[in-house]
Amino acid sequence: MSDGPLVLGIETSCDETGIGIVRGHTLLVDEVASSVEEHARFGGVVPEVASRAHLEAMVPTLERACEKAGVRLSDVDAVAVTSGPGLAGALLVGVAAAKALALGLGKPLYGVNHLAAHVAVDQLEHGPLPEPCLAMLVSGGHSSLLRVEDVTTGVEPLGATIDDAAGEAFDKVARLLGLPFPGGPHIDRAARSGNSVAIDFPRGLTARRDLERHRFDFSFSGLKTAVARWVEARERAGETVDVSDVAASFQEAVCDVLTRKAIDAAVTQGIDDILIGGGVAANSRLRAMAEERAAAKGIRVRVPRPGLCTDNGAMVAALGAELVARGRTPSALDLPADSSQPITTVVA
């Protein structure tokens, strides 16, 4: 077991109740209780349902994590929690639990940024982050390009989504195709037997005029609408919609834009390492395309295993451990939950 601070991490920004325990860069346990099945019938996450699920899952998940890790709560050196961004009610559950633990145990509290945690989690698998590195975070709520000098302090936004995030587009297109929620894994699976060049779907914000104002920004709303119109036109004509071809062509368009802009940003910034995080980072085509295009430019790509890409407590604990190790100032006990916490605020 490696040396380093023993940190408990709590993640409740959306529909996953995550508890992680980390010692330095070593993951001891990553327990997740998901309420995704409760949201599936609505075709998306319902904030109130998520908040209530967190309340019910918090203590049992915490107890399972400690038991599996073989540690007592009194053993931890610090408590870290996602303080934002995310769903306000869901965040409040985690922040309240973390405050209670920190106060009761007499341990420092770190309210951390959800996006920065997605960057830090890669250290649990591949060791210390290259400094600087370019982080591409792709999830249901975020599509971001970040220059990371020091994950505990220096996170500079280069680009972000201006409408639908990539993960949100996956969910909406999956619903159009009659695939279950969450859509990402099902589209990835369907795409494997489809033709990725069967349909020429648009690549948002890649025209010359768009690149002048939004070079590193993303837009997937138009792509989602284009898929909807294509499917509707075929259905009106009485034609069969090949779900695999639509899934593969849509996925190709998303991955093309994401990787093209990430490589462009890395080259422009003079960065040799790209880190991909967030739930969409589990997509097989995105991983393959990123590695192929990066290799052609002499750029290295780091992607955590799929289980660490989606929301989890391990990523929060990983960032917390790094904050403790670097002597960063803890959060106050009146720490708020901030649903729109900016990426430039790593510790609230």
Side-chain angles (χ1 to χ4, degrees):
M1 185 179 295
S2 71
D3 295 328
L6 183 67
V7 177
L8 171 74
I10 300 174
E11 156 61 24
T12 63
S13 68
C14 193
D15 60 340
E16 281 20 61
T17 306
I19 304 291
I21 301 176
V22 164
R23 185 183 296 279
H25 291 165
T26 301
L27 176 61
L28 302 184
V29 70
D30 179 27
E31 277 294 301
V32 177
S34 175
S35 60
V36 66
E37 291 183 5
E38 297 176 52
H39 304 283
R41 63 193 177 102
F42 301 105
V45 176
V46 180
E48 180 62 20
V49 172
S51 300
R52 290 180 180 275
H54 288 311
L55 280 169
E56 294 171 2
M58 182 60 65
V59 172
T61 309
L62 186 60
E63 289 176 343
R64 282 200 311 276
C66 288
E67 183 179 349
K68 288 185 178 180
V71 303
R72 296 170 299 177
L73 284 173
S74 57
D75 295 334
V76 304
D77 296 309
V79 177
V81 62
T82 299
S83 55
L87 301 174
L91 289 168
L92 280 168
V93 177
V95 169
K99 286 180 180 179
L101 286 168
L103 185 62
L105 297 169
K107 306 293 183 178
L109 171 69
Y110 292 86
V112 306
N113 189 290
H114 180 80
L115 300 182
H118 270 304
V119 176
V121 74
D122 188 68
Q123 297 186 139
L124 301 180
E125 193 157 12
H126 300 123
L129 295 175
E131 295 179 348
C133 69
L134 180 90
M136 179 170 69
L137 302 183
V138 203
S139 68
H142 306 279
S143 301
S144 306
L145 288 176
L146 311 169
R147 180 185 173 95
V148 183
E149 295 284 350
D150 173 349
V151 73
T152 65
T153 58
V155 180
E156 176 191 350
L158 300 177
T161 187
I162 63 173
D163 45 49
D164 288 2
E168 184 180 0
F170 268 93
D171 290 338
K172 290 178 176 177
V173 168
R175 193 186 315 170
L176 281 170
L177 298 176
L179 298 173
F181 174 85
H186 298 286
I187 285 183
D188 194 357
R189 198 171 299 118
R192 289 171 193 167
S193 57
N195 180 358
S196 64
V197 296
I199 310 157
D200 186 19
F201 286 131
R203 271 65 168 162
L205 297 184
T206 57
R208 180 173 297 177
R209 183 183 60 187
D210 294 322
L211 290 174
E212 290 174 2
R213 296 179 55 208
H214 297 287
R215 184 172 180 179
F216 302 134
D217 292 325
F218 301 101
S219 169
F220 296 108
S221 180
L223 170 60
K224 171 205 66 182
T225 302
V227 176
R229 287 176 176 166
W230 192 93
V231 170
E232 289 164 3
R234 297 305 177 282
E235 290 175 341
R236 277 197 306 270
E239 299 176 16
T240 300
V241 173
D242 189 318
V243 171
S244 294
D245 280 356
V246 176
S249 299
F250 161 76
Q251 178 175 272
E252 192 74 7
V254 173
C255 296
D256 180 22
V257 172
L258 288 171
T259 56
R260 194 191 307 184
K261 294 205 172 204
I263 299 296
D264 184 23
V267 170
T268 302
Q269 294 282 316
I271 294 175
D272 297 326
D273 295 271
I274 294 176
L275 184 150
I276 307 176
V280 181
N283 181 273
S284 62
R285 181 59 180 146
L286 178 61
R287 288 170 173 246
M289 190 183 290
E291 289 174 2
E292 179 184 338
R293 289 182 170 179
K297 297 288 186 180
I299 296 171
R300 296 175 291 270
V301 174
R302 291 167 50 137
V303 192
R305 62 181 181 271
L308 293 179
C309 290
T310 51
D311 293 349
N312 59 79
M315 68 188 208
V316 180
L319 180 52
E322 196 66 21
L323 290 163
V324 174
R326 298 197 184 206
R328 304 302 183 218
T329 304
S331 305
L333 280 175
D334 62 354
L335 168 73
D338 183 356
S339 61
S340 57
Q341 184 172 326
I343 184 55
T344 48
T345 302
V346 175
V347 188

